[in-house]
Amino acid sequence: MTTDAEEPTLTIDELAARAGVTVRTVRFYGSKGLLPPPVIGPRRVGRYGPGHVARLALIEELQQQGMTLAAIERYLGQLPPDLTPHDLAIHRAVVASWAPDLRETVSRGELERRAGRPLAAEDIERLTAMSVVLPEEEDTFRVDSGLLRLGVRLLDVPLSQDAILAARKVLIEHSRAAAHELAQLFRGEVAERDARDVKSLSAHMHPLVVQALLTTFQRSLREELSEWLTGSGAG
């Protein structure tokens, strides 16, 4: 189990295995500045942590979406330097949302490899309730790759499953309402345009709107939590 505050403990071989890439790939990304340097420990051995795992996952997702190395460099260069592994996982989920269908069937072993940890029966039940995985026959699962890492991190959040499901319902309802309102707005703008223009506009607006919604939501949630903590007298 890892947390955002956990000290870097992974060797480069362990990092590569955890992220599902080769050691050569890790070194290549490091040489390009896409991956922060490791923390040098005893015997001059580099150690990596959850942040490196999360950043590798984001890089791989960006590649799967067809972005060139130069485009990935620009994308990562625009991110705040102090992002936590959780923040990086959110960005990965945003990038993954650009793809039309992210679900694929994997074995139990592959699911745990991607999750980066063993999964107990209770963990599978919670991931299923969150619609991250869907159990199938012969110990295989349909998994939403874009949500998997976020779902796994939620396994360690001290909230009841009912609270998590209620939060999911709120997010779905409000995101659908926002999507409907935005679609109505854009529909009015492109009503008289050529079909190719409409398709091009949609392709460009999708990632921009998702990123805008993410940024706005994060800021609003931070303000709400700050007001709540201030009002409750919590330090």
Side-chain angles (χ1 to χ4, degrees):
M1 184 183 304
T2 62
T3 65
D4 290 355
E6 182 179 347
E7 291 296 322
T9 60
L10 302 174
T11 65
I12 190 171
D13 295 280
E14 292 169 336
L15 172 65
R18 178 76 61 85
V21 299
T22 64
V23 170
R24 182 178 179 181
T25 297
V26 174
R27 290 184 172 137
F28 175 72
Y29 289 156
S31 68
K32 291 294 184 179
L34 302 180
L35 198 64
V39 175
I40 304 301
R43 301 181 181 179
R44 305 294 298 171
V45 175
R47 296 289 177 175
Y48 301 82
H52 294 91
V53 177
R55 187 168 288 263
L56 278 173
L58 175 57
I59 293 171
E60 292 298 303
E61 190 64 54
L62 291 168
Q63 284 190 322
Q64 290 180 21
Q65 297 303 322
M67 291 183 67
T68 64
L69 186 62
I72 292 175
E73 288 186 68
R74 289 194 298 271
Y75 182 94
L76 295 179
Q78 295 172 355
L79 298 180
D82 58 346
L83 289 182
T84 67
H86 177 67
D87 294 330
L88 289 168
I90 291 176
H91 277 276
R92 180 177 180 271
V94 170
V95 173
S97 73
W98 306 350
D101 187 3
L102 297 165
R103 291 191 177 273
E104 55 183 314
T105 300
V106 300
S107 66
R108 176 64 171 267
E110 176 62 14
L111 176 62
E112 292 186 337
R113 188 192 71 78
R114 296 188 184 188
R117 58 187 280 182
L119 297 172
E122 181 181 356
D123 296 330
I124 296 294
E125 290 178 4
R126 296 192 72 180
L127 291 174
T128 301
M130 289 184 280
S131 298
V132 175
V133 302
L134 178 65
E136 295 189 334
E137 297 179 356
E138 299 180 359
D139 209 27
T140 59
F141 302 85
R142 289 280 289 173
V143 56
D144 189 325
S145 302
L147 292 177
L148 180 58
R149 288 185 180 274
L150 284 177
V152 170
R153 297 191 70 82
L154 280 174
L155 296 177
D156 299 324
V157 173
L159 288 174
S160 67
Q161 183 164 316
D162 288 342
I164 291 176
L165 293 180
R168 177 177 178 271
K169 181 179 179 182
V170 170
L171 290 173
I172 289 176
E173 289 179 351
H174 286 276
S175 61
R176 283 178 176 170
H180 177 73
E181 293 294 330
L182 289 170
Q184 291 292 98
L185 175 63
F186 295 147
R187 189 175 291 118
E189 288 291 315
V190 302
E192 304 300 326
R193 298 190 185 186
D194 183 86
R196 288 177 298 179
D197 292 336
V198 174
K199 185 176 181 180
S200 176
L201 177 63
S202 176
H204 284 85
M205 288 304 297
H206 187 187
L208 293 176
V209 169
V210 172
Q211 186 66 56
L213 287 172
L214 170 63
T215 302
T216 303
F217 175 75
Q218 285 181 317
R219 184 178 297 114
S220 299
L221 182 59
R222 188 179 302 114
E223 292 172 354
E224 288 288 333
L225 291 176
S226 178
E227 291 178 6
W228 171 54
L229 291 174
T230 301
S232 65

